[in-house]
Amino acid sequence: MSSFKAIKLTAQVPSALVGQRVDQVAASLFSEFSRSRLQLWIREGTLQVNDRPCIAKQKLLGGETLSVDATLRVEGEWSAEPIPLAIVYEDAEILVLNKSADLVVHPAAGNTSGTLLNALLHHCPHLATLPRAGIVHRLDKDTTGLMVVAKTLQAHHSLVGQLQERTLGRHYAAVVWGVMTGGGEVNAPIGRHPQARVKMAVVPRGGRKAITHYRVVRRFNHYTQVRIKLETGRTHQIRVHMAHIGYPIAGDSVYGGRVRIPKGATEELIATLRDFKRQALHAVELTLEHPATGQMMSWSTPLPPDMQRLLDVLEKTDDAA
């Protein structure tokens, strides 16, 4: 399958934009598309001025007609696979789903199939024409919870913009090792770990800005249930930041080390902690502006059974009350 969807646009250059470059005018007139996409169409010759090919730096005099006659093509060599999806909401523009544990979001070396992207292509084949099949943000393989996927190029541009402007709200529920005295903020840059390149770390120089907000929901004798809000979205951000301040996510063997067994723990708590094979992190709430209507929308999802059981056992056997 080589192509899916045709994009046809036309607009007249108003006097207010006289003297500006073609790519600048196109970004104003066709603002639902990214500047990089419009520049690609200019290079391909599918974005024209008065039905003639143009170059991005060409200045406009006003009154010209800008037109786009483009076909969205497959962005990658990915295969559709019939993998079940827990869809929370879907319309013509976006899809919100509740990702399960042990599900890689995007194909990579060692995980070329069985991913969320493969599942999305089976559910909605035309996503193959979008960057990363419409995936605009990720959850780690063993992190569960809510994700939004763009279904159109316009929605993709809008959601990426909301992420960059930090207006797309992402809240997480987590269980951390240690007893927090209160909430706070972690503002520490994140980059590749200087020795272990498969890991991320707080790096004072060369890291990307990363901000995480957290508040205490409930304290136990050795653990704390917290609610976390991301202001930025770096790889492994929550896991790195919580470990950095001394409260690693329960079950996180990468950033928290071996299983922490409290002194005097009951057999039930020991078994529950050892059986919990992933980080206790769940994307519990998602808020965004709908790309087409501008309406603010919000979704929430309950904790998955394994996290709820962990909290139930902590309440019964490690209660600080």
Side-chain angles (χ1 to χ4, degrees):
M1 192 179 298
S2 60
S3 63
F4 281 86
K5 184 179 179 182
I7 301 289
K8 295 184 182 295
L9 307 167
T10 183
Q12 191 171 34
V13 179
S15 58
L17 300 180
V18 168
Q20 293 192 22
R21 294 161 44 122
V22 168
D23 56 351
Q24 295 171 325
V25 174
S28 295
L29 298 180
F30 307 131
S31 60
E32 67 271 31
F33 297 98
S34 69
R35 182 164 296 208
S36 61
R37 177 66 60 169
L38 294 170
Q39 290 172 335
L40 171 64
W41 287 339
I42 291 171
R43 293 194 300 271
E44 290 179 341
T46 53
L47 191 160
Q48 300 187 345
V49 177
N50 292 336
D51 296 324
R52 288 174 173 271
C54 57
I55 58 175
K57 64 181 181 181
Q58 178 180 329
K59 299 289 183 68
L60 296 174
L61 303 175
E64 299 97 333
T65 298
L66 263 61
S67 60
V68 175
D69 187 355
T71 301
L72 298 184
R73 303 187 182 280
V74 172
E75 292 268 342
E77 299 297 323
W78 305 305
S79 301
E81 296 179 41
I83 301 168
L85 292 172
I87 296 173
V88 175
Y89 174 86
E90 184 176 14
D91 61 23
E93 301 289 332
I94 60 173
L95 181 154
V96 177
L97 58 91
N98 187 7
K99 189 185 89 66
S100 61
D102 197 32
L103 181 62
V104 174
V105 169
H106 193 276
N111 288 295
T112 58
S113 63
T115 72
L116 174 62
L117 186 147
N118 301 113
L120 288 169
L121 291 180
H122 183 267
H123 174 74
C124 194
H126 85 265
L127 292 180
T129 64
L130 302 184
R132 298 187 181 277
I135 295 170
V136 295
H137 67 119
R138 301 188 187 190
L139 295 177
D140 296 338
K141 174 185 175 184
D142 289 323
T143 298
T144 55
L146 295 171
M147 288 182 60
V148 62
V149 176
K151 293 181 64 180
T152 67
L153 205 54
Q154 298 94 321
H156 186 274
H157 179 48
S158 172
L159 293 173
V160 168
Q162 291 181 54
L163 282 165
Q164 292 173 341
E165 294 166 10
R166 303 177 187 175
T167 57
L168 195 152
R170 291 164 291 167
H171 293 83
Y172 294 74
V175 179
V176 302
W177 166 258
V179 183
M180 286 185 168
T181 57
E185 173 189 294
V186 186
N187 186 341
I190 290 177
R192 285 288 169 190
H193 193 287
Q195 284 83 41
R197 302 301 291 173
V198 296
K199 295 173 60 175
M200 308 301 287
V202 168
V203 289
R205 294 183 180 179
R208 301 179 68 188
K209 185 174 184 178
I211 302 174
T212 304
H213 304 273
Y214 62 94
R215 65 175 177 85
V216 172
V217 176
R218 182 167 185 181
R219 298 180 186 88
F220 301 98
N221 277 329
H222 301 90
Y223 288 87
T224 307
Q225 180 184 358
V226 294
R227 183 164 172 109
I228 296 169
K229 181 180 184 298
L230 280 181
E231 188 170 324
T232 55
R234 309 306 175 205
T235 302
H236 299 175
Q237 179 173 319
I238 293 174
R239 299 163 63 192
V240 170
H241 272 175
M242 291 298 100
H244 177 67
I245 62 173
Y247 298 98
I249 304 291
D252 189 349
S253 60
V254 175
Y255 296 102
R258 58 182 176 78
V259 178
R260 313 286 182 100
I261 304 296
K263 185 177 181 180
T266 65
E267 290 186 8
E268 184 179 21
L269 178 57
I270 293 171
T272 301
L273 292 171
R274 286 180 172 163
D275 288 343
F276 202 92
K277 302 297 187 182
R278 68 179 186 92
Q279 59 268 12
L281 185 61
H282 177 69
V284 70
E285 185 177 319
L286 179 69
T287 302
L288 56 85
E289 180 183 298
H290 192 278
T293 67
Q295 177 186 356
M296 292 303 299
M297 303 185 74
S298 182
W299 299 268
S300 59
T301 182
L303 295 177
D306 61 347
M307 273 188 70
Q308 188 58 59
R309 169 163 172 74
L310 175 60
L311 286 169
D312 289 344
V313 173
L314 286 172
E315 181 178 5
K316 183 166 61 172
T317 66
D318 196 48
D319 195 356

